[in-house]
Amino acid sequence: MPAIDPAHIPANLRPVIEAMCATGAQLSRVIARGPLAGALGAGVGENSDGDQQKALDVMADEMFEAALEGTGVKYYASEEQETVLTLDEGGRFALATDPLDGSSNIDVNVTIGTIFSIFEAAESAEASFLRPASDQIAAGYIAYGPQTLLAVTFGAGTMLFVLDPDTGAFVLAEEKMDLPVAAKEFSINASNRRHWFPPVLAYVEECEQGVDGAKGKNMNFRWVGSLVAETHRILTRGGTFLYPSDARKGYEAGRLRMVYEVAPMAFLVEQAGGKATDGVAPILSLTAEALHERRPFVFGSAEEVDRIAELHG
Ligand code: F6P
């Protein structure tokens, strides 16, 4: 039985998406076993950028890399590997992934995920990934939570699938996700408040003032610490997410990676009717200059993302 109904997937991408789904289903079984599957959250080293790698980060990377062989993926780029791998010289696609996002939540039974972005392969590995984010032909995330979910776009809306644990197949749950234009919730790592720049502080203060301030409505606050979980909540019921640049050393461009975190989430959000910017400019209009570069990231309900851009003006 296929891991996802091919009817919903463009024909040329079926082997790639099937491999992502089959591996996601396998990974979700490992994650569900938690400590019974070994020390998944144990530190095992550092990636190229000095982030700590957990056992599950490395395991997930190895699983996706192996599964994508022979599916038409020429170039494979991963958060866990410094350079791009050539999987199949004759392949047509370039796939970038954060194989296991939110790894600080592995050991605490909170939703974690896999994020991926797909381009048509260009003449070199560099040219395949360092190009406008609007060149993506597909993007998705798999969320490993109470349910295992796949949100995916091929540029004609964002679809949502749920993994049926009895069959191991992802089943369509929503044909077109619809991110509400107005928000009742905002998300930002508030412990960084003292480092924020004025526009971000002004936005958060507006949210906090609720009915007593310019917004005229109360806003609730949420911070999971897993980009996939945060994105899924916002795609489902609206809200805003900010991981801005701030005054800390190393956070000049925020924390999140352009190629395999920011760009794919921006594509999914825009295809669901939301907006995604670096605070001002639409993410999809931007081009990565390095594989592991960071970008400030703001996304969610259109009204709020517009307001944040206005405060930056
Ligand atoms: O991959 C980076 C990540 O784990 C995201 O999933 C999450 O949004 C963010 O970092 C959490 O950042 P912080 O450690 O500042 O809470």
Side-chain angles (χ1 to χ4, degrees):
M1 180 176 183
I4 187 164
D5 181 351
H8 304 294
I9 317 298
N12 55 358
L13 281 167
R14 281 177 192 157
V16 181
I17 302 299
E18 171 66 23
M20 293 304 292
C21 288
T23 309
Q26 247 179 293
L27 205 50
S28 98
R29 283 196 296 274
V30 175
I31 291 165
R33 297 189 73 227
L36 306 181
L40 301 176
V44 293
E46 280 187 357
N47 66 18
S48 55
D49 213 49
D51 285 349
Q52 217 214 6
Q53 282 178 314
K54 307 278 173 74
L56 192 61
D57 287 317
V58 175
M59 187 193 296
D61 181 44
E62 287 170 358
M63 286 167 72
F64 285 111
E65 181 194 320
L68 288 166
E69 297 255 8
T71 61
V73 171
K74 180 171 183 180
Y75 297 121
Y76 174 81
S78 162
E79 173 167 35
E80 306 310 329
Q81 308 208 28
E82 191 162 355
T83 53
V84 175
L85 300 183
T86 304
L87 294 188
D88 171 7
E89 271 302 345
R92 181 173 159 188
F93 304 110
L95 183 142
T97 184
D98 179 352
L100 208 284
D101 168 69
S103 28
S104 72
N105 282 321
I106 294 172
D107 278 341
V108 291
N109 198 20
V110 169
T111 299
I112 49 185
T114 297
I115 309 170
F116 61 94
S117 161
I118 305 177
F119 294 97
E120 291 278 356
E123 59 290 349
S124 68
E126 268 216 336
S128 297
F129 296 108
L130 308 185
R131 65 206 280 184
S134 58
D135 283 0
Q136 291 174 99
I137 56 168
Y141 63 75
I142 301 172
Y144 311 102
Q147 303 125 36
T148 295
L149 305 168
L150 166 75
V152 66
T153 181
F154 302 102
T158 295
M159 291 182 278
L160 181 69
F161 295 82
V162 180
L163 176 68
D164 181 341
D166 293 340
T167 63
F170 285 83
V171 179
L172 187 68
E174 238 177 286
E175 210 162 343
K176 211 167 181 347
M177 295 184 87
D178 189 10
L179 199 166
V181 175
K184 297 195 195 98
E185 292 170 337
F186 69 107
S187 304
I188 185 166
N189 183 342
S191 69
N192 299 323
R193 187 183 194 106
R194 69 190 185 284
H195 307 295
W196 293 337
F197 295 122
V200 171
L201 188 59
Y203 176 70
V204 170
E205 282 175 353
E206 265 185 26
C207 291
E208 291 167 343
Q209 281 152 12
V211 284
D212 303 322
K215 273 199 169 344
K217 65 175 180 182
N218 289 328
M219 296 285 282
N220 205 349
F221 168 77
R222 288 284 180 271
W223 185 253
V224 181
S226 278
L227 177 63
V228 167
E230 232 94 54
T231 307
H232 187 66
R233 187 189 64 247
I234 292 171
L235 278 172
T236 308
R237 66 179 188 211
T240 34
F241 174 97
L242 301 91
Y243 213 119
S245 52
D246 65 42
R248 284 174 294 169
K249 195 167 179 303
Y251 284 78
E252 297 79 5
R255 171 183 172 96
L256 302 175
R257 313 307 176 112
M258 174 66 175
V259 175
Y260 40 79
E261 294 182 313
V262 173
M265 290 316 202
F267 193 18
L268 288 160
V269 162
E270 296 247 340
Q271 285 294 319
K275 287 194 173 180
T277 70
D278 64 356
V280 181
I283 294 295
L284 295 182
S285 71
L286 303 175
T287 297
E289 279 160 25
L291 186 58
H292 297 288
E293 80 175 34
R294 298 169 194 260
R295 276 295 156 119
F297 195 24
V298 170
F299 72 85
S301 295
E303 278 182 3
E304 299 295 316
V305 176
D306 287 345
R307 176 65 185 144
I308 294 166
E310 210 172 270
L311 288 165
H312 280 81

